Every structure is written in C-alpha cells, then in structure tokens.
Amino acid sequence: MSGHAGESFAELPVAPKPPLRRFHQARWDEPIIFEQSRPGRRGIAVPAAGVPAVELPASVRRAEPPKLPEMSQLHVLRHYVRLSQENLGVDQAIAVGQGTCTMKYSPKVNDRFVNDPKVAELHPLQPDDTVQGVLEVYWRLEKILAEISGMHRVSLQPASGSAAIYANIAMIRAYHASRGEGRQRDQVITTMFSHPSNAACAKTAGYEVITLMPDENGYPDIEALRAAVGPRTAALMITNPEDTGIFNPRIEEFVSLVHGAGGLACYDQANANGILGITRAADAGFDLCHFNLHKTFSTPHACGGPAGGASGVSERLAPFLPGPTVEFDGSRYHLDADRPQSVGKMRPFLGVTPNVVRAYAWVMALGAEGLREVAETAVLNNNYLMHKILSIPGASAPWGEKRLEQVRYSWQGLFEETGVHSEEIGVRAADFGVHYWTSHHPYLVPEPFTLEPTESYSKEDLDEYAAILAHVADEARRDPEHVKGAPYNQTVHKIDQTSLDDPKQWSPTWRAYTRKHLA
Amino acid sequence: MTHPYIPNAEPGVRAEMLAAIGAASVEDLYAVIPAGLRLDRPLDLPEPMASEHELVAHMRGLLARNTDTTEVLSFLGHGCYPHHVPAVCDEVNGRGEFLTAYAGEPYEDHGRFQAMFEYVSMMAELLEMDVVNVPTYDGYQAAGTAIRMAVRYTGRSKVLLSGAVSADKMSKLRDFLDHDVELVIAPVGAGGEIGDVEIDETFAAIYLETPNVYGVVETRGRELADLAHGVGALLVVSADPISLGVLAPPAAYGADIACGDIQSLGMHQSYGGGHAGYIATRDEERLVAEIPSRLFGIAPTAVPGEYGFGDVFYDRTSFAHREEGKEWVGTAAALWGITAGVYLALMGPEGMRELGETVLARTRYAMDRVADAGARVLHPDAVHFREFAIEVPSSDGLLAALRERGIFGGVRLDDRTLLVCVTERHSKDDIDRLAAAVQEELA
C-alpha cells in the first residue's frame, strides 16, 4: 500500500509498537476566560421577576456591575471542555504516581446515582420521613465502616480526611475536658511520616505537637514515644502503614504506652487500602480512626474535592460524635440532634452526601470478599511495582523492602550520578502521559518519589509506568539537560516560579495580574 | 469471577506477578502484620451485588424512598438553596478529566490550574478583592478560618459575632474557636439587623453575615467597618456570592476579609452535599500569609505570551511546614469551585444582576402575600434577600398541613417561627399557591 504522490506508508499490521507510548497533552492555547469576553453576550437567561421590583437603599446597592466575562453558552462550554482536555484523570491515565492519595477507579454507575434527582434535589432539612432512602444509605455505610474498622460508631459528617482528623481531635479534646483533664493534657504526639494534617489539626485545636522521627528501620521511634508520653499526653495521632508504606508491627505497644499514660490513640487510616479485611483499628486498641471516602472507598478526587470523611470511635468516645447522628428504630430512620456531649457540627448538615452514596455503592459492589481482594491486589501490585522500580539503576527504597500498599522511593543514587532531581524526573515523566509525586516536605527521604498502585491498575499498566521511569532515568544519564528542560509534550512549557513567592509580583487572580503586570 | 474493578484479581496474572517477585502467596506480603492483629474471619458485610444491574436495582430501590424537591413545592433554604443549576455546569462538573483527576501538578494538569485560577478570578471580580482561595470545605469552615485569620493578624483574641447566625453554624464556630477565641455575641436588633455594637482595643474583629440567618440584608456595613478600624480590628463579612449582582460586595464598605459558601453558584442541594467555602482578602502580604488554603497564581513560562500556573506563597501551608503552617490544608472542594466558575461565566454581569433583582422582588412579593394570608412577617421593613421569617400559631402544625398539600413550607426555627426561602425557581404562581394554602390553614 502506498500514499499519494509517491509517499510510502507502513504496511499493515502496524507493528512493532514504539517502545513507549507516544503522548502529547492537548494544547489549545486557550485564552484566560476574561480575554474572551465581549460586552453584551450572555451564557444563560434567568427568569424575569414578574412582580414589582424592589428599590435598594444606596448603602447596600452594588455601584458597578461585576467585571465578569460576557460569553455565549457554546463558548463557555467549549472553553471548559478544552481545559478539561488539558487535564489528566484516572479515566485517561495510569494514576499510580500519587502515593498517599490512593487513586483508583471511580465506577461510572455510581455517578448516575448521585446525579439522579432522588439525591441531587434533596434538601437537607426535609422531614425525615421523606428522606428514608438516603438516611438508610448513611446508616448502612456507617455500619459497614464500623465493621471494617471494628469501631463502635462512625460519623460520616466530616467533609474530608483532614476534616475527619480535625473532628477526631475535637472529640479527643471534649473527652478529656469531660474528665476534668482538659487543661492538663495539652500535648499530641504524631510521627513524621503521618499526614501533615495530623500535626496541623492538633495545633489548630490548641495542642502542642510532638513529632516522633523514624528509627534506623523506618519505624516510628518507640524510645522517643516512651520519652514523650506522660500526664500531658492527650493523644497519639498516627498513620499505619505510614506514608512510606511501612507497617509498624509494634503498633499495639504504641497504643498501650499511650493508654498507660491516660492518653487516647487515634488512627489515621488514609492508607487503609491494603489492609481492608486484614487488620482493624479496634484490634490494635485504637479509640478513634478515620477513613477518606475519596481514597479507600473510590469516590472521585475531583481535582481536590469534594472529598468525604468518616470518623470512627470506640464506645467511650461515642457520646462526643458530631451531631446529628442517624438512628434506626427498627422501622424508620431519623436524625438525632439531642446529644448533650456532642462536639456539635463539623460542617453544614449531614455530610458530603454524593460521596456517601458513591462509597456505599462501591462497597455493595464488592462485599467482604471483594474488599479483601482489593487489599490483597493493592499490596501485590505495590510489591510487583517495587520489584520493577528497584531494578532501575539509581532508584532505591530506604529501610528494606517490606511494604504494604505504597512505597516512598528515592532517586538519591541517580541524583548523585546525574544532578537530576526527583522533581525533574516527574516533569519529564509527565511527557509520557503519567502523573508522579515526590512527597510532602520536609524531604526526609532524599530525592523522594511516592508510588501507590492500588487495585485498579493492570500488570500491563504497572509495566508501562515502570518502563517510563526506567526510560527517564536512562535519559538522565545520557542527557541530563534534556530531562531538566522538560516538559516537551505538555500544554505549557517550563514555568518560571519566581513570581509566585514574591508579594510584589504574585498574582493569585486575574484582577491582581492585570493591576500588577498589565497596567 | 475476576471482579470488574480489579484487573489483577485474574488468577493467571496473579501467579505471574507473584513469581516475578519471588513470593509464594499474597499472604507472604502480609507477614509484617503480627498474628494477633490479623482478622481471622471474613468481614461481616452485606452480600455484594455481583452485577451492575443488581446494584442499580438495589440503589434505585433505596433511593426511591426519597421524595425530592422537584416532586413537591419546596420553600426550604436556611443554608442550602434551590437555585437553578445550568445544564452546562453539570456537563463540565461531570467531565471525567476533571472529576477523576487528583490535585496534580501544573504541567500535566494545566487545565485544572487554569479553571481554578479563573474561578478565583471571577470570584475576585464579584467580591472586588484581589486574593481568593481555592475552596475550603464549606461556608462554616470559611467563617471559622476567616475569624482565626483576624485573630492571628491582630494578635488579639476577642471577636464580636453577629447573633443573626444559624444555630448549626454557631455550633461549628464554637467548637472551632472557643478554646482560644472569646466570642462575644452581638444581639439582633428589632429590625432584624445586627443590634448595638460596642468594641474596644481588645477585639480582633467584628463578624457579620449578609443576608443574615433571617434573610435580612445588613445596611450598616460602612459604620461597622469604621468602628472596627477605629480600634485596630478587622471587619469580616460572610456574604452569599449569589446576592452580589445587586448587593454591594463587602470590600465596597470596608470589609478586610470576606467569606462564605458557594453552594448557590451552580451546585445542587444534594442533601447538603454541595457546599464549598471561599475566603477573600485584599492583596496585603500579612493578610495573605494567614490564609491556610492553597492559592493559585499565574506565571510566565519559557515561551513568551504563554500563561503558566502554580502555587502562590506555598510556605504558608501545613503541606510545607506541618504544625508550623497556618491551620491545615488537604482535599476540600475544588470541583465545586470549577463549577461555580462555569456558573459565573454563564451568568456574566447582567445575569447576576437580573438574578439578584428577581430574587429581591419575589422575596418581597412572597413576604407581602404571606402577610396578607395572616402570618406575621418578622422584620417587615428590612431589605430581604431570598429568605424571611414568619410567626405562626404553630410551626409544626402549619408545616404538617402544608405538606398535605404537597408543599414544604419552610424551615422551623422554633415553635412559632418559620423561615421561608424564595429563589428565581419560585414563580409568582408558586408563591401565590403557598400564600393561598397558608391563608386557608390559618383561617
């Protein structure tokens, strides 16, 4: 077969395929929305009042119309569709590169349930007997999460994982106050590899924060814990497995040390995906725990939310749960706001209902056996990917090879050899259509990168991801400047970060930008 | 069966992978978890729905037990509002590229950064303030954080709070602030606005809401700003952004920090699941330094004329400094922000103005009609936006009677007081129907 004008084309079948997938991110050179405005256009009509207008006093009337863009409907839609194309979601990409965030498939059917008017058009203050369906979903998911964690009760009110961490610290504070120890217990102990929100929420709630560093094996230092606990200890807030992917086998000892000093133990289960049905917070003696519905229970990350959180507590903490709670009398569900020791409201109304519905549907599609399959596959995928990554020269994983569902790796070897930083590897990897994350600060693991494959990805996906990193590492050796010059296949080119930290130049809105740079 | 969500549950591929890593079984990989911590039985969960069809049938069966607000005539508001959601908002909100993306990096997720930058930029125009955050969880959190920002900024610990705040929001603010901020509640005046206000040099801020919990628009913003500034305090104003097509933005009368909820801008009611919070300030380094959430800014790239984006002043955050950062930051409500941006772009300045006029006019019309019907309207002389309170012989009695007629008549504030909500979705006929029903029930 040949083309026009004597050009030759490859013969069918077109094989072999290129060694790496060829990728190019959409590039629309899409102007900022304000640049597309033309006075007089509009994107939607609103109903005219049809009743007499109200004259506003000058003190409250807006003097000038807001300088919003003026566009027709198609052009608003087209603008946002183009922007969506310049974005990678789980639906397009192998999303194993955002460790600690458990990126997984969000089943499409679950979106249908939440877009149905039977969820989308419910008002949160309707009479209980007109929302029996959604209350039953709350009640059932609460019971399911109680079984998964072993906890006595669960609240689905928190808006996210970090909001649940905050709800837990609020309950810890209320518990100690109820026993007359509120002032005395003013310290919270956490670990360096627990999510920053554990430390930050405790501080916001008024606590002094003590951070345990890892010992030579990567475990939180138990001697440091022994030295830290005492009559001032309000709680231990700990993630297990930590963000390194390391499971602390002495976790029960940690809990009993804290209990011995009169403190509470609070389990951050953001990394629960690899232990569903394997081990439970209550079995290690924890008093409180939380889950992220948007990680472990598959609700979509949505560019950074809406998220969804769940706080689980043991029986002695149950009186302090946020209100209202969902109760069932054997035939009807109702909301109970009459809870005198409750910490009160954590957010408006009952919770992020669309994500509660999605999480419930996800668990119902899997059941006990399916959840265990999720955990086992996540751990198998992680160990398989680790095996492939550690075979790339220059990559390492500090503290041995025992990991559950994720690994914090290091490119320190490659960096010493080539001068290429982990962050630069990540930017170059994006040229092949994947996302990659280093870690939270501070970089205790030098030149870090954190991968968490979850159960959603196939062996072929993991092979492809590892091949991309191997290719980029090889490039770093052959031509480090090429890697440092990335990206090449993205919507935009290398960004000059300097203005973002300079108060004179930073432009957090178009309004600030036009004033500072275009005036 | 290999579960449809788990490709590597297929036995052949599992065996291949185990062989590659030299493990006999997946069980080996869990060796690190002590036996005493291992669950020695399957989880006690309901039987799974093996097929998608069964799952759909199960979910439909459950959700069919709800009566939604398209099936009745609903006047429920009180923090969650039934504004019309344009179809384009739903379309963009449902795009998998946005819906299933993480809060990734500026290169591969350029679209998300631009969409978020545009959201904060449109909010900035509505608010006439230069700095707006990436959405926080909801308006409650935004208010709590805005108050804390004022406390940190001034180094003072007392805040004067308008009493015209919902009980639920007050509950959140108390939990969030009580341990180190002294909240002084200003009484509600006879007209429904904030009452007499006295503050001195020990106060960090005055916190005001407009429209407030009774739907009353506060008219003394400038006076309160001057009062606060006179003693070195800040004015923090929570305003519903949907009112700002017709109402003056807080910055116009001197507010230093604005905050609120954006559920009204293109989010469905979703049983209270559609909330997200905004916080805005002027572009002053010391104020910006107190914002805990992420800020996205525009920056040049290696190619002249090209816009790139990135985090502004990342050093403020707990991501950078754990407990030494400002409060905390994590996954919050970004997609609601993008959706609110779509809403504002569709509406434009004229749409926002017309919508505001319609809501103002219909609220007044409803107040007059319901008063004619025999209910006592509270604060009748005040400017109301979208909500008003009425006094009736029995809240529960009237609500139950209205329900019989297919009407959710309002939110019960106490035994005798109801809050009625009217938006652009309520036609004149809808309002007349409510008034007629009230008249018959109160007769």
Side-chain angles (χ1 to χ4, degrees), chain B residues 26-91:
Chain B
V26 176
E27 199 55 32
D28 290 359
L29 305 175
Y30 283 118
V32 63
I33 303 180
L37 293 184
R38 298 293 298 275
L39 190 65
D40 56 4
R41 59 167 176 86
L43 289 168
D44 181 16
L45 299 182
E47 279 303 302
M49 306 290 156
S51 69
E52 185 170 299
H53 169 75
E54 282 171 89
L55 181 67
V56 169
H58 171 70
M59 295 300 290
R60 289 262 154 84
L62 272 178
L63 297 175
R65 300 175 61 208
N66 300 326
T67 303
D68 71 69
T69 57
T70 64
E71 299 172 272
V72 293
L73 179 56
S74 171
F75 293 90
L76 302 176
H78 199 43
C80 180
Y81 297 107
H83 290 284
H84 175 72
V85 176
V88 173
C89 288
D90 285 337
E91 176 68 22

Side-chain angles (χ1 to χ4, degrees), chain B residues 18 54 354:
Chain B
L18 283 168
E54 282 171 89
E354 289 169 13

